[in-house]
Amino acid sequence: MAKPSAEQITEQDGHPYDFHVSGPRNLSSPTWRDLVSSNWKDNNYKRTVMACFIQAAYLMELDRQENKTGEDGLALRWLKPFKYKLGQTLLDERDGSIFGAILEWDRAAALTDFILMRPSGAPRAVLALRGTLLKSHTIRRDLEDDLRFLAWESLKGSVRFYVALEALKSAVERFGSCNVCIAGHSLGAGFAFQVGKTLAKQGVFVETHLFNPPSVSIAMSLRNLGEKAGYVWRRMKSMFPSSVEVLPNNEEEEKGSPSSHGWGLLRAEVKKWVPHLYVNNSDYICCYYTDPAENAEAKQVATVGSKKLLKNDAQKGDVTAKMFVIMSKGPQKFLEAHGLEQWWSSDMELQLAIHDSKLITKQLKSLYSAQGKAQ
């Protein structure tokens, strides 16, 4: 949950979570010029808007707990500057809490500012999913899903997964997959990734933005331990003579190796769905995503002046995810490194890392396997 600093609170009167108090600075409202040169084509602007939409999802639950609706609440104030409105709230039937929302382009509000059409690149609908709220009304179910991911590295058994999936499918049916985005923070990013991946398995590719996505689980740790133990065992076996020829890998491993024909097909397929990850290396919840895959050459480039490199790499099919890593200027506390507000800060330094993440590679392998079986 985004928390404003003490300086921000004293700068202006108002609730600490009000848009004009803790929202992005120096943000211009959309104008008729967006019809020609849209702000939505700028990665920094899009990142800012998606983070604000997720903040609105957090505030919808806080408004509900305080019995505030519509103009009385804080949530809608995070949508109006971007000309969006609330289309649907996503409810957890276990406790009635709001864990996400479908936000839609508000044509009527845009017309009042003489914006006659939707800016190029602006989605018609966004599925925004919040993360864990440490409030008594919802903390039990939030932590239940946190523990679910920690234990199984999956959120598909949760009620929220199916509600979010159906909401996204409905939005895609109404507006088309190219006009819909998913955005989530923390636990919400975990849901966003798995919902987007589920649709990708069906050949439906939706633009996905993941802020501080969870990357650490007990299941992953055990699997990594097993991989290391298997490597040590193979090395030990190679030290002893044997009358039987020992192959370096078994048949399954050979088929799944990055150099195999199947991995080449994977590269060609997954470029249709390239999630955007926003990671802080000081955040231990999401930092595992920055581990490069074996035998992968990492490429890093500053966000300024990187458009040509991005285009060339995308054409080669080498980009499995666009990972934006925040460059902290010094030691950070966990809540600061994991917070949502850093992603709309005007003084942040970002670096775009174009490489194969070990974790992303594993997750997309399962995506390709499912598509292969379907074919």
Side-chain angles (χ1 to χ4, degrees):
M1 180 64 188
K3 295 183 179 180
S5 64
E7 291 79 10
Q8 288 175 324
I9 296 176
T10 57
E11 278 180 7
Q12 302 181 44
D13 295 329
H15 193 283
Y17 292 148
D18 207 340
F19 182 82
H20 78 271
V21 176
S22 59
R25 302 300 193 210
N26 304 320
L27 185 66
S28 58
S29 298
T31 66
W32 61 270
R33 291 185 177 86
D34 283 334
L35 301 179
V36 179
S37 179
S38 173
N39 288 338
W40 282 90
K41 296 179 181 179
D42 178 18
N43 287 332
N44 290 327
Y45 181 82
K46 181 175 286 189
R47 182 197 70 245
T48 296
V49 179
M50 292 298 164
C52 289
F53 285 173
I54 299 170
Q55 177 75 338
Y58 276 107
L59 292 173
M60 286 177 195
E61 171 56 21
L62 293 183
D63 286 345
R64 183 194 72 86
Q65 293 180 16
E66 297 176 4
N67 296 317
K68 294 180 179 179
T69 58
E71 298 298 328
D72 295 332
L74 295 169
L76 298 186
R77 301 177 192 179
W78 290 76
L79 308 180
K80 289 183 178 180
F82 310 107
K83 308 304 177 189
Y84 278 77
K85 63 181 179 179
L86 175 62
Q88 173 191 351
T89 55
L90 276 59
L91 301 179
D92 187 327
E93 64 182 23
R94 298 171 296 181
D95 58 6
S97 63
I98 299 173
F99 68 92
I102 295 288
L103 312 174
E104 301 176 6
W105 172 254
D106 191 346
R107 185 170 181 271
L111 289 174
T112 60
D113 285 346
F114 304 102
I115 301 175
L116 305 181
M117 59 186 295
R118 183 168 45 93
S120 176
R124 293 189 63 181
V126 177
L127 170 59
L129 300 170
R130 68 166 176 84
T132 303
L133 262 178
L134 300 179
K135 298 287 184 179
S136 59
H137 296 78
T138 186
I139 187 173
R140 177 184 174 187
R141 299 307 181 186
D142 286 359
L143 291 180
E144 183 177 308
D145 284 332
D146 286 328
L147 293 174
R148 184 190 304 276
F149 183 88
L150 179 63
W152 303 109
E153 200 181 339
S154 175
L155 295 166
K156 289 187 177 181
S158 171
V159 171
R160 296 182 183 183
F161 172 82
Y162 297 103
V163 174
L165 181 60
E166 290 305 313
L168 184 61
K169 285 182 177 179
S170 177
V172 168
E173 289 175 0
R174 290 178 59 196
F175 305 116
S177 60
C178 60
N179 293 315
V180 179
C181 289
I182 324 170
H185 173 248
S186 190
L187 176 63
F191 279 112
F193 183 86
Q194 294 197 348
V195 168
K197 181 179 171 182
T198 299
L199 282 189
K201 289 179 180 179
Q202 302 170 15
V204 180
F205 305 99
V206 179
E207 185 175 318
T208 306
H209 296 266
L210 311 171
F211 296 84
N212 301 89
S215 64
V216 180
S217 72
I218 296 175
M220 180 192 302
S221 300
L222 292 176
R223 185 163 58 247
N224 290 340
L225 182 61
E227 290 174 355
K228 291 179 180 178
Y231 172 77
V232 172
W233 174 243
R234 288 193 296 271
R235 289 293 300 271
M236 291 179 64
K237 286 175 67 177
S238 66
M239 296 172 63
F240 297 95
S242 174
S243 58
V244 181
E245 182 181 2
V246 179
L247 296 177
N249 295 298
N250 61 34
E251 186 178 354
E252 290 185 1
E253 289 174 335
E254 186 175 349
K255 288 182 179 180
S257 65
S259 59
S260 67
H261 178 63
W263 182 238
L265 293 176
L266 167 63
R267 289 294 192 137
E269 185 65 25
V270 298
K271 66 181 180 181
K272 299 178 183 178
W273 187 63
V274 181
H276 297 68
L277 281 73
Y278 305 92
V279 174
N280 188 321
N281 267 335
S282 299
D283 175 15
Y284 62 80
I285 287 182
C286 65
C287 63
Y288 187 76
Y289 273 104
T290 61
D291 276 9
E294 293 86 351
N295 304 320
E297 181 182 356
K299 303 176 184 177
Q300 292 197 352
V301 59
T303 53
V304 178
S306 63
K307 293 182 179 178
K308 183 176 180 181
L309 179 58
L310 265 175
K311 183 178 180 181
N312 291 340
D313 281 0
Q315 289 173 345
K316 295 176 184 177
D318 289 333
V319 180
T320 55
K322 294 181 181 178
M323 190 181 314
F324 298 86
V325 182
I326 196 166
M327 309 303 292
S328 58
K329 298 178 180 179
Q332 285 185 303
K333 297 180 179 179
F334 166 71
L335 291 180
E336 181 183 0
H338 190 67
L340 180 60
E341 68 273 20
Q342 65 185 313
W343 299 111
W344 65 68
S345 174
S346 58
D347 61 349
M348 68 185 300
E349 293 184 11
L350 274 180
Q351 192 174 66
L352 177 57
I354 311 171
H355 63 195
D356 289 326
S357 161
K358 180 189 296 183
L359 184 54
I360 285 290
T361 298
K362 289 180 179 179
Q363 291 167 333
L364 292 183
K365 274 186 178 180
S366 67
L367 167 62
Y368 178 70
S369 298
Q371 289 178 333
K373 291 177 182 178
Q375 294 172 352

